[in-house]
Amino acid sequence: MTWWRGAAIYQVYLRSFADGNGDGIGDIAGLESRLGYLRELGVDALWINPWYVSPMADGGYDVADYRDIDPAFGTLADAERLIEAAHRFGLRIIVDIVPNHTSALHPWFQEALRDGPGSPARERFHFRDETNNWQSRFGGPAWSQVDDGQWYLHLFDATQPDLNWDHPDVRAEFPSILRFWLDRGVDGFRIDVAARLVKQAGLPDKRGRFEGVPTFTDADGEPDKDRPEVHEIYRDWRTVLGEYGPDRVFVGEIWVRDPERFARYLRPDELHTAFNFEFLKCAWEAGPLRAVIDQTIATHAGVGAPPTWVLANHDVTRHVTRYGRANSMFLKREHGVPTDLAAGTRRARAAALLTMALPGGVYVYQGDELGLPEVFDLPDELREDPVFARTGGLDLGRDGCRVPLPWGGDAPPFEFGKGGAWLPQPADWRDLTAARQLGDPDSMLSLYRLALRLRRSDPALGDGELRWRDSEPGVLAFERDPGFACVVNLTDREIDVPAGEPLIASAPLEGTQRTRLPADAAVWLRTA
Ligand code: NOJ
Ligand code: CA
């Protein structure tokens, strides 16, 4: 079996993972020093957010040099050493590739600025004398003007000019970048904004539905999203990857809602997997969750790709917080919403067991395993996400899910590094440090470690199929072969645990015989 079909992949947001040199910013040395932690956690691979040379206007998603490492993170030699070390620890490495846009400091854009209107260098981007009505995904217009009067397109920040994917230089550059990293041993790529590379010819106006704060629900079939020609790019890339054997893999960041159109990216000659954002967005309710699970499985089965299950990432409100809200459906980042973190944590524990039991691959975003909540009360002047400024603070941005990890100790920076941390951690994270949780068998970390270990050793888990059991409303119950069942109680009262030997539960089973499953809890059972 190919490893990625059922892999557990841990997302490393490098600047907030671990700081090796004490400057307050996470780096490659810090990650290397924690590889043992990740191996013991029980994941199969790491996805590392962009680590390339970047002015960091968008946390590194603004790349100035795709073939070198940003000095804040280390050197190219450090990256090479990290890849080797990870492999020795049995961890594969997936790096992030950012093909939709560069940084404004990328040599191509600098050349375009210098050479002026009408120059060949400008054709690698989308320069125009007049704009259309497109809005930036980060708020505000998607066009900025340069000194000579021309405008350039940027679907994200003004410092992230969109590349023109109709240009042969652009088409040729990325396969070459893929090879550069494949030659250094990476096991795959996470493709940023994968559905938006190709724009409709002529860049026509959108029908317009801008709400001030971009949401993740904008319609499919827009002139800047999911154009049919984008698939040619991935067929081309797949050929490149294929030259390196069957074990290298693509995962696409594809916010396309229509299941049939989503599945097109996962055809056998395109991407291997894609993030399942419909599941991430879904409320903590049995009916909608079951519908998303069924839809996901059906969609993927049609193209023979394994589903993935994602609860969180560096772009969305942490799910401990989301699930603590009356309406836990995720459409956009919101603040000031009443939140019950104890309930959110209970549900996050149950959700961890649910996702790890579903067929396919599973992603863990750093800090999920510690049960970290979203942090809202950051000083505005320390917020780095351009979303904050571009929406005039209407959207606080994504810094609150990117706060550096608490590793140990009783006070910030909680052994994140020797110095401080680039964003302040809440003082009450002293109860959530990895060190504290390791010593507590009932902690979120202990739950993740045991569940990931069971998932890895149990032949019923990972890739495969699922069979629903009849269950009362509000309960999700399914079986996997051989001899495994998962029951999730989303009602507000205890239910009977069905027959079987409990392997792990997200909350203590109740009753003298331990036969009752509490509300908002999940259990795995050995049934044969
Ligand atoms: C998606 C990434 O996950 C996000 O962090 C980034 O800001 C945008 N793409 C733009 O690259
Ligand atoms: Ca550092």
Side-chain angles (χ1 to χ4, degrees):
M1 195 197 70
T2 27
W3 69 273
W4 46 270
R5 295 191 62 93
I9 300 178
Y10 186 94
Q11 180 190 347
V12 177
Y13 193 74
L14 202 51
R15 60 192 291 109
S16 301
F17 185 72
D19 176 17
N21 66 353
D23 67 353
I25 298 173
D27 49 40
I28 295 177
L31 171 55
E32 196 175 341
S33 74
R34 299 286 181 179
L35 287 175
Y37 169 85
L38 295 167
R39 180 182 56 195
E40 293 309 309
L41 182 59
V43 294
D44 303 300
L46 311 180
W47 150 35
I48 304 174
N49 287 103
W51 55 4
Y52 314 108
V53 177
S54 166
M56 303 286 165
D58 181 24
Y61 283 95
D62 46 325
V63 181
D65 182 353
Y66 292 85
R67 295 180 181 81
D68 204 353
I69 299 292
D70 194 86
F73 296 143
T75 63
L76 185 56
D78 291 339
E80 290 171 344
R81 208 184 50 241
L82 188 268
I83 295 166
E84 275 178 34
H87 287 163
R88 278 199 305 280
F89 278 81
L91 297 164
R92 306 199 193 234
I93 297 287
I94 293 174
V95 294
D96 218 308
I97 184 103
V98 189
N100 181 72
H101 43 266
T102 66
S103 157
L105 294 188
H106 189 282
W108 278 359
F109 195 73
Q110 290 296 310
E111 192 185 338
L113 290 181
R114 227 171 25 239
D115 291 4
S119 65
R122 288 221 167 169
E123 287 169 16
R124 297 193 188 112
F125 298 89
H126 296 282
F127 277 91
R128 294 286 185 280
D129 295 325
E130 281 163 26
T131 66
N132 63 18
N133 71 353
W134 297 5
Q135 297 289 320
S136 156
R137 310 283 312 143
F138 288 168
W143 295 89
S144 290
Q145 199 167 24
V146 299
D147 288 348
D148 52 53
Q150 277 209 313
W151 301 81
Y152 65 92
L153 175 70
H154 53 86
L155 293 186
F156 295 90
D157 190 55
T159 63
Q160 294 168 294
D162 276 52
L163 284 163
N164 172 12
W165 273 88
D166 289 329
H167 197 292
D169 289 356
V170 176
R171 294 263 170 164
E173 175 68 350
F174 279 84
S176 154
I177 296 168
L178 296 179
R179 286 180 202 283
F180 180 88
W181 290 100
L182 288 165
D183 289 338
R184 278 162 184 75
V186 305
D187 301 284
F189 299 90
R190 176 266 189 194
I191 306 169
D192 189 57
V193 199
R196 290 190 189 265
L197 274 47
V198 176
K199 277 68 174 178
Q200 189 175 342
L203 308 183
D205 273 348
K206 292 195 188 189
R207 281 153 298 163
R209 204 186 24 256
F210 183 63
E211 301 162 21
V213 176
T215 71
F216 291 97
T217 54
D218 60 335
D220 300 335
E222 296 279 355
D224 63 342
K225 183 171 173 185
D226 196 30
R227 308 306 307 167
E229 301 80 12
V230 78
H231 296 283
E232 291 163 19
I233 298 170
Y234 300 128
R235 292 204 185 93
D236 180 27
W237 289 18
R238 182 67 179 253
T239 318
V240 174
L241 211 69
E243 291 169 25
Y244 290 80
D247 280 346
R248 318 260 188 147
V249 47
F250 286 124
V251 49
E253 188 211 15
I254 297 172
W255 293 89
V256 169
R257 259 190 307 171
D258 181 293
E260 196 267 328
R261 297 190 70 94
F262 176 88
R264 290 186 198 173
Y265 292 83
L266 302 178
R267 288 177 290 198
D269 59 348
E270 296 193 38
L271 309 183
H272 302 73
T273 61
F275 297 115
N276 180 2
F277 294 124
E278 295 311 305
F279 183 77
L280 179 155
K281 288 188 291 189
C282 190
W284 182 248
E285 287 171 41
L289 279 171
R290 178 163 171 169
V292 165
I293 292 168
D294 281 337
Q295 174 74 267
T296 299
I297 291 174
T299 301
H300 287 75
V303 283
T308 64
W309 309 98
V310 189
L311 292 168
N313 63 34
H314 64 294
D315 291 330
V316 300
T317 308
R318 284 204 178 259
H319 62 281
V320 160
T321 301
R322 283 183 352 244
Y323 289 163
R325 295 171 168 178
N327 178 2
S328 57
M329 191 163 83
F330 178 74
L331 293 180
K332 57 185 178 204
R333 289 175 297 273
E334 286 175 296
H335 52 104
V337 181
T339 304
D340 176 348
L341 286 183
T345 302
R346 258 192 332 268
R347 293 171 186 159
R349 293 175 64 92
L353 292 193
L354 169 62
T355 52
M356 289 188 218
L358 289 168
V362 66
Y363 283 83
V364 178
Y365 172 46
Q366 71 180 40
D368 286 358
E369 81 280 22
L370 303 177
L372 300 185
E374 186 80 4
V375 180
F376 293 105
D377 60 348
L378 295 168
D380 287 350
E381 64 278 10
L382 292 184
R383 293 185 189 277
E384 290 202 1
D385 185 358
V387 168
F388 177 69
R390 291 187 65 90
T391 62
L394 225 52
D395 183 335
L396 290 181
R398 300 162 293 179
D399 294 306
C401 63
R402 300 172 175 180
V403 173
L405 290 192
W407 287 99
D410 288 319
F414 297 118
E415 298 171 15
F416 167 69
K418 294 184 272 299
W422 69 279
L423 281 176
Q425 303 139 309
D428 60 7
W429 279 16
R430 88 178 70 79
D431 298 325
L432 296 177
T433 65
R436 170 87 47 117
Q437 295 199 40
L438 272 179
D440 174 2
D442 296 327
S443 68
M444 185 74 89
L445 181 56
S446 296
L447 180 83
Y448 266 77
R449 282 164 52 109
L450 180 57
L452 285 164
R453 189 154 316 156
L454 288 167
R455 185 179 185 280
R456 190 179 250 185
S457 60
D458 194 322
L461 297 183
D463 194 23
E465 287 169 13
L466 145 171
R467 215 167 33 250
W468 292 105
R469 284 183 173 179
D470 287 340
S471 56
E472 57 179 293
V475 175
L476 295 174
F478 57 89
E479 297 171 3
R480 304 203 48 194
D481 290 333
F484 175 93
C486 174
V487 180
V488 190
N489 179 10
L490 295 101
T491 72
D492 53 11
R493 66 213 129 67
E494 274 178 29
I495 58 167
D496 280 327
V497 178
E501 172 209 342
L503 298 172
I504 183 172
S506 67
L509 301 180
E510 307 276 354
T512 44
Q513 305 295 318
R514 296 181 68 235
T515 51
R516 306 278 294 163
L517 181 65
D520 283 329
V523 63
W524 288 0
L525 300 165
R526 170 99 294 125
T527 56

